Amino acid sequence: MASRPLKAVLTVAAAAAFSLTAVPAQADDLDPSVWTELSHTYGATGAYAYEPYAVADGFAPTACAPGTGYRYVNQANVGQTDAEKPAALLYEDGPYGRRLIGVEWVVKAESGAAAPAMFGQTFQQPVELPEVGSSYTLRAWIYKTNPSGLFSPTHADVTCSADSDSDSDANSNADADADSIPDLDLDLGLIPDLDDLIPDLNLDV
């Protein structure tokens, strides 16, 4: 039976493999340089496909919102316009726990400040975000194809389950999520003995 660390490694590996195939899935006629920049975002967030890693790194979950999912906010990244430092990660309920579907950059709307831009996209007009306040936002649905566009403010296929209306429900712990990932029974007997694969070499010295 696979150990919890192995479950985490396999989950992250699956996320990394997915990220390599996600780019051509929703090209959006974007400039190729955008995908070059987003490759840094994939690299910085791919491990968070295993949701407990996000919590451990300071991303605090909030209640689910239709069209957005669960927003996990890292206050240290609020105000950043760095491709590798999104302020929030977006999750939805999946068959084995929370599933990473997108990322979000958040910049507080200071008085008189113009909306920032990234990836050739201007941030959305200010909205009130819990524990952040009035802020400009830019979302990128890099882990779940959005028919409305990669940078669309909402995703029509992201819904909230009936029991996901409280913040306490969103605060899952690492052990609970690890247990929600099915055990993988690996038959190590299928791995051949290296001695059988390497022929004897009789060397006369």
Side-chain angles (χ1 to χ4, degrees):
M1 186 171 291
S3 64
R4 286 178 180 171
L6 178 57
K7 292 178 186 177
V9 170
L10 293 173
T11 302
V12 171
F18 175 77
S19 70
L20 295 176
T21 61
V23 171
Q26 49 180 10
D28 274 16
D29 295 325
L30 297 173
D31 188 283
S33 64
V34 172
W35 291 114
T36 300
E37 292 182 72
L38 283 172
S39 68
H40 298 295
T41 308
Y42 280 114
T45 62
Y48 298 138
Y50 185 60
E51 180 260 6
Y53 286 168
V55 176
D57 281 354
F59 288 89
T62 62
C64 184
T68 301
Y70 299 95
R71 179 188 285 107
Y72 284 51
V73 178
N74 187 331
Q75 291 288 346
N77 289 352
V78 172
Q80 297 278 355
T81 53
D82 184 333
E84 297 184 14
K85 296 181 179 180
L89 305 171
L90 305 177
Y91 289 85
E92 68 178 353
D93 289 316
Y96 305 117
R98 299 278 164 80
R99 178 169 55 194
L100 181 62
I101 55 177
V103 296
E104 180 180 45
W105 289 267
V106 176
V107 175
K108 290 184 179 180
E110 306 293 346
S111 178
M118 292 179 68
F119 313 113
Q121 308 289 318
T122 301
F123 279 48
Q124 298 295 317
Q125 290 303 304
V127 294
E128 287 293 328
L129 299 181
E131 300 182 6
V132 178
S134 180
S135 304
Y136 295 109
T137 62
L138 179 67
R139 294 172 190 155
W141 304 95
I142 59 175
Y143 293 106
K144 180 173 182 172
T145 301
N146 190 337
S148 297
L150 177 64
F151 295 106
S152 175
T154 59
H155 197 310
D157 294 334
V158 175
T159 58
C160 299
S161 59
D163 59 352
S164 64
D165 58 353
S166 66
D167 287 348
S168 60
D169 179 62
N171 285 285
S172 56
N173 57 55
D175 287 340
D177 277 0
D179 290 336
S180 69
I181 301 174
D183 290 321
L184 301 176
D185 295 320
L186 303 179
D187 187 355
L188 299 182
L190 296 176
I191 303 176
D193 192 325
L194 291 179
D195 291 337
D196 295 335
L197 297 179
I198 303 174
D200 292 328
L201 299 177
N202 295 318
L203 302 178
D204 293 327
V205 180

